[in-house]
Amino acid sequence: MSENNFFRFSNAVIIAPMCAVLLIWTVYYIELRFRINLDHYGIYPRTFFGLRGILLSPIIHGSLGHLYNNTLPLTFLTASLFYFYRDNAWQVLFWGIVLSGLITWLIGRPSYHIGASGVIYMMASFMFFKGIFTKYYRLVALSLIVVFIYGGLFWYIFPVEDTISWEGHLGGFIMGLVLAIKAKIPSQEKYDWEKEDYPEEEDGFFANFDAEGNFIETRPRASTEEENIKATYHYNPDKEGEHE
């Protein structure tokens, strides 16, 4: 797969983050409009009814500030995921949501855990580690951007604040790392001259370089026909000065 096909813009780069943001804001609007509280649909650890929160908790938020803080990173990371990892994006999202939610259900405190933070941590962790593992310059650059923008968030995988579900953050971080190890991306297509078995001695272009890769400056040689051309002059003194 060529680089242009590997990093190719698609409608999902716009549609996926728009749908995610629209969904979480719609749910919050429904809570306000009908004056209901959906927090009990979140993850409640180690209870059977709490399992439903694995799929439902990412779309439920406790306050406008909570919702706003998750909107921007959710938009950026989802768009980046579908652009740079379009072949793996849906699998990463599905398994990341399910398994990070399951980790939260297993280790969480007895409380309702809600919000898209776990998904955000999962995508950030996946893109950071996957870029480092691949060692491909564009994906490494994405890893550095993620660290630069969201590096401070990684402190919240630890229990630094009681009102924050660090268990959900930790679950997302762990699953991002696991998925980065497991996910396969297509190898980059190499040009013929980049392959190890390419016959350089048969390529006239490579003849212009020495073994160290230095350019060899050569003067153009005259063709064989030009070398064989001879000019012959005849001088006849008897006809000097004659005109017709």
Side-chain angles (χ1 to χ4, degrees):
M1 178 176 290
S2 66
E3 180 174 323
N4 290 334
N5 289 329
F6 185 65
F7 300 112
R8 186 177 61 189
F9 183 86
S10 64
N11 293 334
V13 176
I14 296 178
I15 295 176
M18 285 184 60
C19 289
V21 171
L22 181 62
L23 180 60
I24 62 176
W25 278 87
T26 300
V27 171
Y28 188 74
Y29 171 77
I30 291 174
E31 288 188 280
L32 293 180
R33 177 66 177 81
F34 297 99
R35 297 182 179 181
I36 58 177
N37 191 328
L38 300 178
D39 288 0
H40 59 280
Y41 284 97
I43 298 174
Y44 199 94
R46 297 172 299 280
T47 61
F48 179 76
F49 69 88
L51 288 171
R52 62 189 178 185
I54 292 177
L55 295 178
L56 297 177
S57 63
I59 64 174
I60 303 171
H61 292 80
S63 66
L64 185 60
H66 186 202
L67 181 64
Y68 177 77
N69 290 334
N70 283 343
T71 297
L72 293 181
L74 183 65
T75 302
F76 172 76
L77 292 172
T78 305
S80 300
L81 180 66
F82 277 87
Y83 181 78
F84 289 97
Y85 299 97
R86 61 187 179 88
D87 292 335
N88 307 100
W90 288 114
Q91 293 180 352
V92 169
L93 275 179
F94 176 77
W95 290 113
I97 291 173
V98 172
L99 297 179
S100 63
L102 183 60
I103 292 176
T104 305
W105 183 83
L106 290 172
I107 68 173
R109 291 162 292 172
S111 178
Y112 290 105
H113 297 255
I114 58 174
S117 299
V119 181
I120 292 171
Y121 273 77
M122 180 274 297
M123 289 192 291
S125 175
F126 171 81
M127 281 184 272
F128 170 73
F129 287 110
K130 194 61 182 178
I132 300 301
F133 294 157
T134 59
K135 299 180 181 179
Y136 183 63
Y137 73 97
R138 285 195 177 187
L139 300 182
V140 172
L142 177 63
S143 298
L144 297 178
I145 292 173
V146 169
V147 169
F148 178 76
I149 299 177
Y150 302 112
L153 296 178
F154 288 98
W155 287 108
Y156 293 99
I157 64 176
F158 304 106
V160 295
E161 191 171 336
D162 293 337
T163 58
I164 295 178
S165 176
W166 62 269
E167 300 94 333
H169 299 170
L170 179 60
F173 179 83
I174 292 174
M175 285 315 307
L177 173 58
V178 172
L179 291 171
I181 296 173
K182 295 293 185 180
K184 304 295 183 182
I185 62 173
S187 59
Q188 301 296 315
E189 182 181 4
K190 292 184 177 180
Y191 295 101
D192 291 338
W193 53 268
E194 293 180 304
K195 299 177 181 178
E196 296 181 357
D197 58 347
Y198 182 73
E200 296 182 4
E201 63 279 359
E202 299 178 8
D203 193 323
F205 177 76
F206 282 95
N208 296 315
F209 299 87
D210 60 19
E212 287 74 30
N214 300 315
F215 180 73
I216 304 174
E217 185 175 358
T218 57
R219 297 175 63 88
R221 295 185 57 190
S223 64
T224 304
E225 294 182 357
E226 292 177 346
E227 292 177 350
N228 295 330
I229 294 177
K230 295 182 179 180
T232 304
Y233 300 92
H234 297 278
Y235 174 70
N236 189 343
D238 295 335
K239 294 184 178 181
E240 184 177 1
E242 294 183 359
H243 300 278
E244 293 184 355

